[in-house]
Amino acid sequence: MLRLDKLTKQYGKFTALDGLSLEIADGQLHGFVGPNGAGKTTTMRIISTLLQPTSGTAEIDGVDVVRSGSKARKLIGYMPDFFGVYDSLKCWEYLDFYGRCYRLSAGERKQMADQLLDLVQLTEKRDAYVDSLSRGMKQRLCLARSLIHDPKLLILDEPASGMDPRARAEMKGILKTLRDMGKTVMISSHILPELSEMCDSLTILDHGHLVFSGSVEELSEKMNGNAPLDIRLQAGCGEETVERAVACLKELPFIREILQEETTLLRARLEGGEAETQQILRELVSRNIPVCDFHRAPMNLEKVFMEVTVDA
Amino acid sequence: MLNPILSFSATRRMRSGKTLVILGAWLAVMLGTALLMMGRLLGPEVTVNGLRSGTNCYIVLMIVQFFLIVLISPAMTSGTVAGERERQTLELLLVTNTRSLRIVWGKAMDSFGMLCLLLVCGAPVMFLPAVAGAVTPLQVLEGELFLLVTAFAAVCVGMLASAVARTSMAGGILAYLFVFGIAVVTSLPLFLDYPQAVTDIVYDPRALAQLSPGAATAMIFPVLFLNPGYGLIALLHGQTRFLSSALQYQQTGRLLCSFNLMDRAGGERIALISSGAVLLLGLALLFLSAAFVRRRGFGGKRKG
Ligand SMILES: Nc1ncnc2c1ncn2[C@@H]1O[C@H](COP(=O)(O)OP(=O)(O)OP(=O)(O)O)[C@@H](O)[C@H]1O
Ligand SMILES: [Mg+2]
């Protein structure tokens, strides 16, 4: 559906986006995560034809967004992170207006507007003036607006920012409905756990670089493979025993790093999976080191996000 | 299908109370001017002095409307695209498949429509001098058409400023700078020396009297046609001999050179050519504006 190839954007000398390559399959709900300034908005604006990339290409169903802008616009529904609304315009007129900008017929517009107001639960606000809506309602109306021409691909830039928890939950519901309707959705957020709950696949971006792209399962697998190993020795076992344990660990080739978190708590980072973990335990026990607790700390996504964006 | 930008801007304009205020103010100025100029005409008899004041009333009404248009339309238009940029609604429009030219055209037509409304509502006042017999209704129509063209061009100037600027404020300032710039540049020829071959004819009353209208037209500096002010003077001169006393062929001077040529060429002809040129300039500015709509714009703080 969407294919980015070595997408680069420079603002003067500053590189906001550095060779981003990415593919999103049809019908996926794709999360786009990164800290402030990662380049999420920049990427989304390029895909939505609002910004020219410095180099690289973005294609939607084979349509190049730079060369065939107007063709691409028909395929995309874009909801920006910040946007304004017109005053002196009613909700249904607002949708009708954008419908006309997409050159829909009067019948199509009426039908779509009613359906969409229902989808975003604003039916009773149909005749209210747009600027009298609350922020969350405006965001929902803007989402409806981005759907008015029935696009295949939806680009949503932090659609849930400024929404209360209940509205966020409702937004999730709406997004799932959209996926069930067969739309491909690309949604950006700072909050990885929130996205991973509902997304099929994820991209993590930091300082314009791709950190990770793949399914949510792949991400947690990859991250748990990196989870540190916590080894707690018997309390009061003496400094000499701890030193022996450290020496023993250092001999193993797949240990990358050893930290002494507390007097008797060692944290080791290793490359490898279960076989290596077993070997460590075997070595320690065979040398009579009093191990009381031995486990790999499971990573939660909050931690993953922190780790991933620091390492890059 | 009607341009959606136009119909929705117009809807919103009609809903705002400002429109009525502007319309009221416009009519008040028109009626006030007419009363002031034609007080004498209200008397029971038609006198030569009465006719004179009728003609003067027509001239003053034309000039007042001309300046109002030139002053109002840039302000009216300069906020359109720049304002949407400022309020962050422009992007929502740019992601639809509405072409830039369609956006610019819709916005320009909305402002132009408002000016048309003002001119149409003021038309009954304009016809007062015609009712009094001072000018013919056809002449009033010509005058109105000339003002329409001026309004269109002024809107286009405001449009360009708006397409280039990031905020309404910057757009407004830029629009007046553009108007001022165009006025200065197109007035320069009035103060330039004409070639010797031209002055030889213009300063010689007999040679000037034999000059054909076509030849006289060809001698005028072409840039001058882009000045709607010159067009207005030419039109009024053609219709009412406005400024005739200043056009003494034997006198010299650069300014008079242009006026004398205008007199020979025929004021109405000059006004027509000038209107055409101004119309084309306006269209060119609109196309130019369209090219700027998708850029970020400058002046004012960057947002988002
Ligand atoms: N018009 C611009 N001119 C110069 N630099 C810019 C411009 N727009 C964005 N940047 C820079 O590009 C980088 C990426 O910005 P972008 O808005 O894409 O980040 P983001 O991931 O959307 O961040 P956030 O989570 O805060 O929305 C930032 O460092 C920003 O300062
Ligand atoms: Mg952003």
Side-chain angles (χ1 to χ4, degrees):
Chain A
M1 180 80 217
L2 176 70
R3 217 166 63 84
L4 307 183
D5 191 28
K6 300 200 193 76
L7 207 59
T8 300
K9 176 70 193 177
Q10 289 177 325
Y11 293 108
K13 279 195 176 142
F14 176 77
T15 307
L17 204 59
D18 196 2
L20 178 66
S21 297
L22 183 68
E23 220 162 308
I24 302 179
D26 255 339
Q28 292 243 310
L29 190 51
H30 187 92
F32 207 51
V33 203
N36 289 131
K40 304 183 292 292
T41 300
T42 304
T43 311
M44 292 181 147
R45 284 172 53 89
I46 293 175
I47 299 171
S48 316
T49 72
L50 289 171
L51 205 62
Q52 296 267 333
T54 310
S55 66
T57 55
E59 279 178 9
I60 300 159
D61 265 353
V63 178
D64 188 304
V65 298
V66 177
R67 268 180 286 151
S68 324
S70 74
K71 225 171 159 189
R73 278 177 214 124
K74 277 188 210 148
L75 302 173
I76 310 170
Y78 172 63
M79 176 173 167
D81 45 356
F82 296 104
F83 60 90
V85 294
Y86 298 106
D87 50 10
S88 314
L89 211 54
K90 294 174 183 167
C91 284
W92 75 268
E93 289 172 330
Y94 181 80
L95 292 179
D96 196 55
F97 169 59
Y98 287 103
R100 289 174 66 160
C101 291
Y102 281 112
R103 296 164 191 259
L104 303 183
S105 72
E108 288 171 317
R109 294 200 305 267
K110 166 127 187 38
Q111 195 192 346
M112 278 311 268
D114 287 344
Q115 276 179 15
L116 288 172
L117 284 174
D118 187 45
L119 176 74
V120 299
Q121 295 158 14
L122 285 175
T123 308
E124 79 259 38
K125 293 282 181 185
R126 192 175 177 276
D127 288 310
Y129 281 101
V130 177
D131 50 350
S132 73
L133 298 183
S134 76
R135 181 172 142 102
M137 288 178 185
K138 278 182 197 157
Q139 270 171 313
R140 295 209 302 257
L141 185 65
C142 190
L143 178 67
R145 181 207 57 85
S146 65
L147 282 162
I148 192 82
H149 57 305
D150 201 16
K152 282 184 168 178
L153 174 66
L154 264 178
I155 308 272
L156 311 176
D157 201 350
E158 291 175 43
S161 66
M163 285 191 178
D164 64 31
R166 195 193 150 81
R168 275 170 186 269
E170 279 168 7
M171 181 61 115
K172 271 183 210 167
I174 294 173
L175 290 177
K176 283 190 183 132
T177 314
L178 290 177
R179 184 183 39 194
D180 294 343
M181 285 160 66
K183 307 230 176 275
T184 312
V185 185
M186 182 178 190
I187 171 172
S188 84
S189 172
H190 303 115
I191 308 168
L192 181 57
E194 190 180 76
L195 279 186
S196 63
E197 262 173 53
M198 57 177 170
C199 290
D200 306 307
S201 55
L202 280 171
T203 292
I204 302 180
L205 204 64
D206 189 29
H207 287 94
H209 294 275
L210 183 81
V211 177
F212 171 84
S213 187
S215 68
V216 176
E217 291 77 35
E218 276 169 359
L219 178 69
S220 44
E221 219 168 80
K222 184 176 168 193
M223 287 305 138
N224 279 327
N226 280 342
L229 181 63
D230 281 354
I231 307 165
R232 186 176 288 283
L233 306 179
Q234 193 180 6
C237 63
E239 237 173 76
E240 179 258 354
T241 315
V242 179
E243 267 165 35
R244 265 201 305 133
V246 173
C248 166
L249 289 172
K250 272 190 181 156
E251 280 170 27
L252 297 166
F254 42 79
I255 300 275
R256 272 199 293 148
E257 186 185 26
I258 306 163
L259 294 169
Q260 189 169 3
E261 293 283 302
E262 293 161 29
T263 354
T264 58
L265 177 63
L266 297 178
R267 177 164 291 172
R269 287 180 183 279
L270 64 150
E271 270 165 70
E274 294 185 334
E276 284 76 12
T277 323
Q278 280 176 38
Q279 200 185 336
I280 297 170
L281 185 58
R282 224 181 293 124
E283 285 289 330
L284 290 172
V285 173
S286 71
R287 294 190 193 190
N288 263 335
I289 292 167
V291 178
C292 299
D293 189 17
F294 183 90
H295 70 274
R296 294 191 82 155
M299 298 273 281
N300 68 29
L301 286 161
E302 197 65 46
K303 271 194 198 154
V304 168
F305 181 69
M306 292 301 194
E307 293 245 330
V308 147
T309 52
V310 164
D311 281 6
Chain B
M1 185 163 51
L2 189 65
N3 186 318
I5 319 281
L6 168 59
S7 58
F8 277 78
S9 305
T11 307
R12 295 199 298 126
R13 184 185 289 285
M14 286 308 146
R15 276 183 188 159
S16 111
K18 253 189 346 195
T19 306
L20 267 182
V21 174
I22 295 176
L23 196 58
W26 181 275
L27 281 178
V29 170
M30 294 276 296
L31 274 173
T33 312
L35 274 181
L36 216 72
M37 296 301 299
M38 303 220 307
R40 245 183 284 176
L41 252 189
L42 295 177
E45 293 154 45
V46 176
T47 60
V48 175
N49 270 346
L51 279 184
R52 251 211 112 64
S53 70
T55 312
N56 286 344
C57 174
Y58 169 75
I59 291 172
V60 172
L61 279 178
M62 281 295 288
I63 293 177
V64 165
Q65 288 191 96
F66 177 83
F67 278 103
L68 282 179
I69 285 170
V70 170
L71 289 180
I72 292 177
S73 27
M76 200 146 85
T77 329
S78 61
T80 53
V81 175
E84 292 222 6
R85 222 179 240 132
E86 192 173 28
R87 299 191 53 184
Q88 300 179 307
T89 51
L90 184 64
E91 295 195 335
L92 298 181
L93 212 52
L94 292 181
V95 291
T96 68
N97 42 339
T98 304
R99 280 174 299 130
S100 313
L101 190 60
R102 208 168 143 87
I103 296 176
V104 166
W105 179 255
K107 300 247 172 226
M109 281 305 109
D110 168 46
S111 300
F112 181 61
M114 176 69 193
L115 289 168
C116 287
L117 183 68
L118 293 179
L119 285 175
V120 167
C121 289
V125 183
M126 281 290 281
F127 275 101
L128 282 182
V131 171
V135 282
T136 68
L138 190 67
Q139 286 177 326
V140 179
L141 263 180
E142 282 174 359
E144 293 280 6
L145 276 179
F146 179 84
L147 290 177
L148 277 182
V149 172
T150 308
F152 176 77
V155 159
C156 295
V157 173
M159 205 64 229
L160 180 62
S162 192
V164 167
R166 186 171 297 140
T167 62
S168 315
M169 175 77 105
I173 295 171
L174 212 57
Y176 284 112
L177 283 179
F178 282 172
V179 168
F180 183 71
I182 291 175
V184 167
V185 169
T186 56
S187 301
L188 279 182
L190 289 175
F191 307 99
L192 291 182
D193 280 320
Y194 277 86
Q196 189 66 45
V198 175
T199 48
D200 280 350
I201 297 175
V202 177
Y203 294 153
D204 175 3
R206 243 175 308 158
L208 186 63
Q210 282 166 5
L211 193 62
S212 77
T217 311
M219 283 177 186
I220 297 172
F221 282 129
V223 182
L224 217 44
F225 289 113
L226 287 177
N227 188 332
Y230 186 68
L232 177 68
I233 291 170
L235 179 71
L236 294 178
H237 177 68
Q239 289 180 335
T240 68
R241 308 307 301 159
F242 173 58
L243 286 185
S244 287
S245 54
L247 297 171
Q248 309 269 320
Y249 297 156
Q250 61 273 28
Q251 281 185 12
T252 58
R254 292 162 186 157
L255 212 55
L256 280 169
C257 202
S258 293
F259 283 141
N260 286 343
L261 283 175
M262 172 213 287
D263 183 54
R264 282 312 301 159
E268 273 146 325
R269 169 202 289 257
I270 301 270
L272 189 65
I273 298 174
S274 175
S275 296
V278 167
L279 196 67
L280 287 181
L281 176 68
L283 284 174
L285 291 181
L286 266 194
F287 277 98
L288 192 60
S289 317
F292 281 102
V293 169
R294 284 184 187 275
R295 292 170 198 255
R296 278 186 71 83
F298 54 80
K301 259 213 312 244
R302 181 174 275 153
K303 278 203 179 177

